[in-house]
Amino acid sequence: MGLAGILLGLAALMWLSFRGWSVLVLAPAAGLIAAMAAGEPLLAHWTQTYMGAAAGFLAQFFPLFLLGAVFGKLMEDSGSVAAIATFMTEKLGAKRAILAVVLAGALVTYGGVSLFVAFFVIGPMAQALFRAADIPGRLMPAAIALGTSTFTMTALPGTPAIQNAIPMPFFGTTPFAAPGLGIIAAAVMLAFGLWWLARAEAAARRRGEGFGALAVAADQAAEDPLVRERASVAGTFDPPEVHRGRPSSDAPGIAVAVAPLFVVVLVNLAMSMLVLPRLDTSFLAEERWGGIALSSVSGVWSVIVALASAIVVLVALNRGRLPALRASVDAGASASALPVLSVASLVGFGAVVAAMPAFALVRDWVLSIGGGPLVSLAVSTNILAALTGSASGGLTIALDALGSAYVQLGAELGIDPALMHRVAVIGAGTLDSLPHNGAVVTLLAVCGATHKQSYLDIVMVAIVGALIALATVIVLGSVFGSF
């Protein structure tokens, strides 16, 4: 009955969240279903197990959600994201429309701009480019997804995406874990995605298929309650807040627009490699600081300082373009609340499941998967990200339940924690892009497309390409180790 309860709770969570029910209600309810089937105390699991895990996630990662959302909103309202998109459009032109969309999305998201902010700003740019080049509009979602939701989210070293931050406390790693393997994985995803989109464009031209009748529907998508609920576990930004605040009517120059993005990357690198390792942090071993080592918090601290520094630089460079600075900051802060609570709720559900006696069967099955710890780690993060429709939620659940076991196995087999970090992150960013994923639903809504029109191309660039990159990293990491 215990295993059946876990499966029933998970099925209820999946089905009702896809129907638009709030995960804030569904996650504890699904956890209670699992506990009830196992004959475990319900209230104790709700207040102690569920809330303890959810609160732990908030304590660790809320600063990243908050600063990331504020930074993304300020980048949008200052006109910086639009300026970057316009620059790419002008430099690459309609003849390279797909490449322009992909690179614009990659630049802003690798620089720390929230995923959904990128969707809503780059969507109109993509529409104009694709229409001018007479490329089928149904390819817009895949081009945007390739640039925003694949290699800059999981593979490129130093990315401030929350998915890249989650493994750091578990493995004691930095945002730059396994940089060589990450760059190779990013190259695989980008090359495969561009090849597929070029192939699809060429096939469409042979058939005489033009842009079509798609129209970007960013305003409607941002206010759609169903889109909002599905998006809440897929990113760090609540879609309705995109249109709050007061966007600038005066776009900055490209140098000013990209400066904060470079600050994020450079400060993150400096904090990870130079500053924190040289600080005296022996005080962290004291009981009042949790008795921890620097490795438990250094990665998160690096991203916090990087985002905070970028916000200061952004405001200093664009103060005249932010006439409603308080409103923009408030909108960004509000935009972080629902996503972080939603993902924390999924983490709480995962903690309840992991506490069930029957979960030992699941753990033993996962750890016994052939191919070694790297393969089983990739499988576990893939499955949980797919089931929850959330890369960050699935990754946290997997590492909360199995992270210590993988650390022990890695130590016994001589596997570098940085390699396990990169495999876990890329694994979480593959099957999370199934049809019920909130980012997929939001992106299609923004582009005015349907699953029938555009989902196959999203599968190819966001799932197939990522799986090829994941396999490449596992093979190279198994042969050469982490680099």
Side-chain angles (χ1 to χ4, degrees):
M1 279 297 291
L3 185 57
I6 292 174
L7 296 176
L8 180 60
L10 188 56
L13 177 64
M14 289 175 56
W15 173 246
L16 292 176
S17 63
F18 180 72
R19 301 284 294 178
W21 286 65
S22 173
V23 74
L24 298 180
V25 175
L26 293 179
L32 292 178
I33 290 173
M36 184 184 302
E40 295 276 307
L42 302 186
L43 292 177
H45 273 301
W46 193 347
T47 62
Q48 306 307 115
T49 309
Y50 175 91
M51 289 307 303
F57 180 86
L58 287 170
Q60 280 189 317
F61 297 113
F62 177 65
L64 302 188
F65 279 78
L66 174 64
L67 292 174
V70 170
F71 178 63
K73 185 58 180 169
L74 290 174
M75 283 289 291
E76 180 204 5
D77 283 1
S78 67
S80 297
V81 178
I84 293 169
T86 300
F87 178 81
M88 290 294 184
T89 300
E90 293 174 349
K91 291 299 180 181
L92 295 175
K95 291 184 178 180
R96 297 183 180 87
I98 290 177
L99 181 61
V101 170
V102 171
L103 293 183
L107 180 58
V108 297
T109 51
Y110 184 56
V113 174
S114 300
L115 177 68
F116 292 126
V117 172
F119 284 176
F120 287 101
V121 176
I122 293 177
M125 165 201 141
Q127 182 183 34
L129 274 176
F130 276 51
R131 178 177 281 117
D134 202 28
I135 298 172
R138 61 180 175 80
L139 297 179
M140 283 193 303
I144 297 173
L146 176 60
T148 61
S149 311
T150 59
F151 58 96
T152 61
M153 184 178 81
T154 64
L156 281 180
T159 174
I162 187 63
Q163 291 81 4
N164 192 43
I166 286 171
M168 296 189 298
F170 295 96
F171 296 124
T173 48
T174 74
F176 295 87
L181 290 171
I183 291 171
I184 291 172
V188 170
M189 293 184 207
L190 178 60
F192 180 84
L194 289 175
W195 169 79
W196 176 264
L197 290 173
R199 175 184 176 279
E201 178 189 355
R205 292 194 185 282
R206 286 195 297 271
R207 294 192 300 269
E209 179 185 359
F211 177 78
L214 294 189
V216 168
D219 290 342
Q220 298 93 313
E223 301 298 334
D224 187 333
L226 185 59
V227 167
R228 184 188 191 192
E229 289 300 339
R230 292 181 179 177
S232 65
V233 298
T236 59
F237 200 95
D238 191 7
E241 299 298 333
V242 166
H243 299 305
R244 310 289 190 262
R246 189 187 305 172
S248 172
S249 58
D250 176 27
I254 187 61
V256 171
V258 301
L261 306 182
F262 283 104
V263 169
V264 171
V265 177
L266 295 177
V267 173
N268 195 358
L269 179 62
M271 289 294 295
S272 299
M273 304 301 178
L274 300 175
V275 178
L276 289 178
R278 298 181 181 182
L279 291 180
D280 179 9
T281 56
S282 58
F283 65 89
L284 290 173
E286 298 175 17
E287 184 178 350
R288 64 172 177 153
W289 304 114
I292 59 174
L294 175 63
S295 58
S296 299
V297 293
S298 61
V300 173
W301 284 5
S302 297
V303 180
I304 287 174
V305 174
L307 289 172
S309 301
I311 289 172
V312 172
V313 170
L314 193 160
V315 172
L317 293 177
N318 295 279
R319 188 63 188 91
R321 300 182 189 87
L322 294 167
L325 178 60
R326 183 187 61 80
S328 296
V329 171
D330 285 353
S334 297
S336 70
L338 181 59
V340 72
L341 289 174
S342 298
V343 176
S345 295
L346 287 177
V347 173
F349 164 73
V352 173
V353 168
M356 296 298 102
F359 184 75
L361 299 174
V362 178
R363 182 186 62 244
D364 293 343
W365 172 76
V366 170
L367 295 177
S368 67
I369 293 174
L374 294 179
V375 174
S376 67
L377 177 60
V379 170
S380 63
T381 53
N382 255 298
I383 291 174
L384 285 167
L387 293 176
T388 59
S390 168
S392 53
L395 181 58
T396 309
I397 292 172
L399 294 181
D400 271 342
L402 301 167
S404 59
Y406 283 117
V407 170
Q408 182 178 347
L409 281 173
E412 293 173 355
L413 299 175
I415 301 175
D416 190 331
L419 174 58
M420 302 185 83
H421 171 128
R422 192 54 56 204
V423 168
V425 178
I426 297 175
T430 51
L431 295 183
D432 70 311
S433 296
L434 291 179
H436 63 292
N437 175 263
V440 171
V441 172
T442 304
L443 180 56
L444 291 173
V446 166
C447 294
T450 65
H451 281 79
K452 181 179 179 180
Q453 292 170 309
S454 301
Y455 185 64
L456 173 61
D457 298 299
I458 293 176
V459 167
M460 297 304 295
V461 304
I463 295 181
V464 175
L467 286 173
I468 295 172
L470 177 61
T472 302
V473 168
I474 291 174
V475 171
L476 291 177
S478 298
V479 174
F480 300 106
S482 180
F483 60 89

